[in-house]
Amino acid sequence: MGVLGLTGFVEERGAFFTELRVRDTKLVIDGSSLYHRLCFASAADFRRGGDYGSFAAAVSDFFGSLRACRVAPFVVLDGGRGADDRKLPTLRGRAAERLRAAHGLSRGEGGCLLPLLTREAFVQALGRLGVPFVQCFAEADREIAGLANRWGCPVLSLDSDFYVFDLAAGYCPLSHFQWQSVCAGEGAQGCYVPARCFSAEKFCRHFHHPNRSLLPLFAVMNGNDYADLAALEVFFSKVRLPRGCAAGKQGKHVRLQGLLNWLAQFAEPSEAVDNVLKHLQKHQREEIRELLCTSMEDYTPSDVNLEDFFQNGKYECEAARKAGLPRWVLDALAKGKLAPFISDALILRSTFLHVQVENMQRPSAHSTALPIRQVIYGLLLKVSQNTEAASPSKQTNELPVVCEFDRLQKTLKKTFVQAASLPTDFCDGHFPLDKLMEVPMSCRQMLLLETLGVKMSFLESIPSHLQLPVAVTCYWICYSEPKVKLHQLKALLLMMVSGELHRITNDPDPTVVCAEDDSIAYNEFLKWKEKKLQNKDFDLDAAHSFCQWQCCLQMGLYLNQLLCTPLSEPDLTWLYNGTLVHRLYQELKSTPSVENLFSSSPKMTLLYQVLLNMVESTVPPDFFQKMTKTKSESCKKKASSKKKKAIRCAIPENQHLCNVNRFASLGVDD
């Protein structure tokens, strides 16, 4: 959520804040605001897909500062869109903004774009650091406010809606939370984080508001993520706001101040609402009254007891109960073991696929991962092969469909995708997810690996935490269009090896022994990295290919989580560094000897060769030599791919459907 223009309006005046020394307290943190802030404040290479290692380091430093000041953090994350999907227009607008930002970055312009796996890297970092967190069923704002008031502690966020909530201990904007400048303090009180806390009392007093309960109406009338009431433009055009403010070109801040001054004449929100409705046509009044009242309730702290979750691990939410999801799914969502993508697909049959810095002339990078998503949809929405076999003529009517929002060149479009049909073992029971936990682990693992096109015997020779990334890499090689180049594959694998080398040389676990040659190789790598990462060359086609890999990894992670992790979940911290993989790719093209980057470490050299041989063995021997195909081969491939990929369609044209059934031969044993 967010109130249009309110942050700038408050910051412009500055008189509504009090200085605060944050120490010896609980602190309720808006997780979404925090990971955006930490990512955008870092020197992340947004153009090349991000650097999850430096991001994770920033997360660790942030919570280290809180720990030094004896601050107990509790992170609350947004969940899915919720069953009512009220924010859909706002989310579509934001997706379009991200698309414009991505296009600008692809052309060398400035800007920020959240790397695709930032949220997943953040959740992993919280778990690694032991920071308590919860993922709400939908929007987290009301639950954040409710928990902070229950504990009498501040809220830390960057969401302007918290200027409006009635918070007992106030709202600290992240922009004024100086966690990198911890002060020593005086005497026994110890160090503290300098911060500023918004005072709603000062704010209301400044605008002669005796009743803070008018602030939600002010937010709704001005427009927020849930309410952008075009009908109120009639009101603004007819009412003479104080200081001569009116609708139109005078600016948001002028209207904000005028609206605040106008509302000051009313004692209660109901009185102000009645006055607003007088200026509207009679047939609109009751509908607008209902919209205003419903939207004002969004600023009432939730009665969801997050304290119970943090103490006992129980998340109880009326909206979640009404959705009718299995208990294990609700628990996994609350604990961040399933992503909001899963709940959106399950409840709304609608998902957003976030754009990256891609080649906008090519199909979306997410197209490569489409078959994985279809398996996820099949698991969530109960599609069995029996259904398909019993009535093939009714296949289109019976296979569930999910609406995906993705890009088509530089425009946000929606696609209707059919779920993949699955073995009957995964569809038993009244609700398919009810019994998923009862399916043997070996069968769940088989489904995951069949989706990615590899066998478990193929992966057994590599460390367990690299098995999923390597399986995803094999899938990426087979499904990417245009075809992956050998230098791109080698760059990606060298990057994985560098992450493994970093892990074993920096692991705080005393049982992990780091050989001397590994330390030498790591120091040599750091010197090479320091020297080589300054190059500013940017290959958009290579960027597009690495974006495809991240899309495949994201959906591989989600499928693995939904199947209750039949493969170990990889640590994203050192798995992808966009600047590094692009530099390696450029170096390999001109200096093939960079492939021997880790020659000082026999263990890392062997790991690289094993990974390379393993991935290469999944494609024909001449796969990387034949960079062009004959016209007939190209036509055959295009014809085949049409059966696997969704047809992109402009809103709101006819719904086109696609289906990939890749499991007809998959046998599942009890």
Side-chain angles (χ1 to χ4, degrees), residues 1-2 30 32-33 76-88 90-91 94 119 134-145 157 159-162 165 224-226 298-300 302 304 306 315 317 319 340 343-344:
M1 293 169 68
D30 176 352
S32 178
S33 286
V76 185
L77 288 157
D78 288 325
R81 285 148 55 188
D84 54 18
D85 206 15
R86 290 169 57 205
K87 282 184 69 171
L88 179 59
T90 298
L91 293 173
R94 288 180 184 169
R119 192 183 199 280
V134 63
Q135 181 174 273
C136 297
F137 182 68
E139 182 96 28
D141 291 11
R142 295 182 63 227
E143 293 176 43
I144 289 171
S157 178
D159 188 334
S160 57
D161 278 313
F162 290 110
F165 276 99
N224 62 18
D225 286 356
Y226 284 139
D298 292 325
Y299 295 98
T300 304
S302 170
V304 172
L306 288 187
Y315 181 83
C317 167
S343 60
D344 287 345

Side-chain angles (χ1 to χ4, degrees), residues 3 32 84 108 143 165 170 392 422 446 479 512 529 535 542 571-572 591 647 668:
V3 182
S32 178
D84 54 18
E143 293 176 43
F165 276 99
L422 306 174
M446 189 187 303
Y479 277 82
V512 177
K529 184 179 173 184
N535 193 296
D571 184 350
L572 296 171
T591 315
I647 302 170
V668 181

Side-chain angles (χ1 to χ4, degrees), residues 251-310:
K252 281 288 181 184
H253 290 188
V254 176
R255 179 186 285 194
L256 280 167
Q257 184 158 331
L259 181 57
L260 282 164
N261 287 332
W262 181 83
L263 286 169
Q265 64 185 298
F266 303 106
E268 297 292 338
S270 57
E271 183 185 352
V273 169
D274 288 339
N275 200 286
V276 169
L277 297 177
K278 290 177 184 177
H279 299 277
L280 305 182
Q281 296 181 19
K282 287 184 179 180
H283 71 275
Q284 292 181 306
R285 291 177 184 175
E286 286 311 307
E287 181 185 358
I288 298 301
R289 182 193 299 277
E290 185 177 344
L291 284 170
L292 289 173
C293 293
T294 300
S295 298
M296 283 191 288
E297 289 175 6
D298 292 325
Y299 295 98
T300 304
S302 170
D303 57 2
V304 172
N305 188 356
L306 288 187
E307 183 179 41
D308 192 34
F309 174 83
F310 286 119

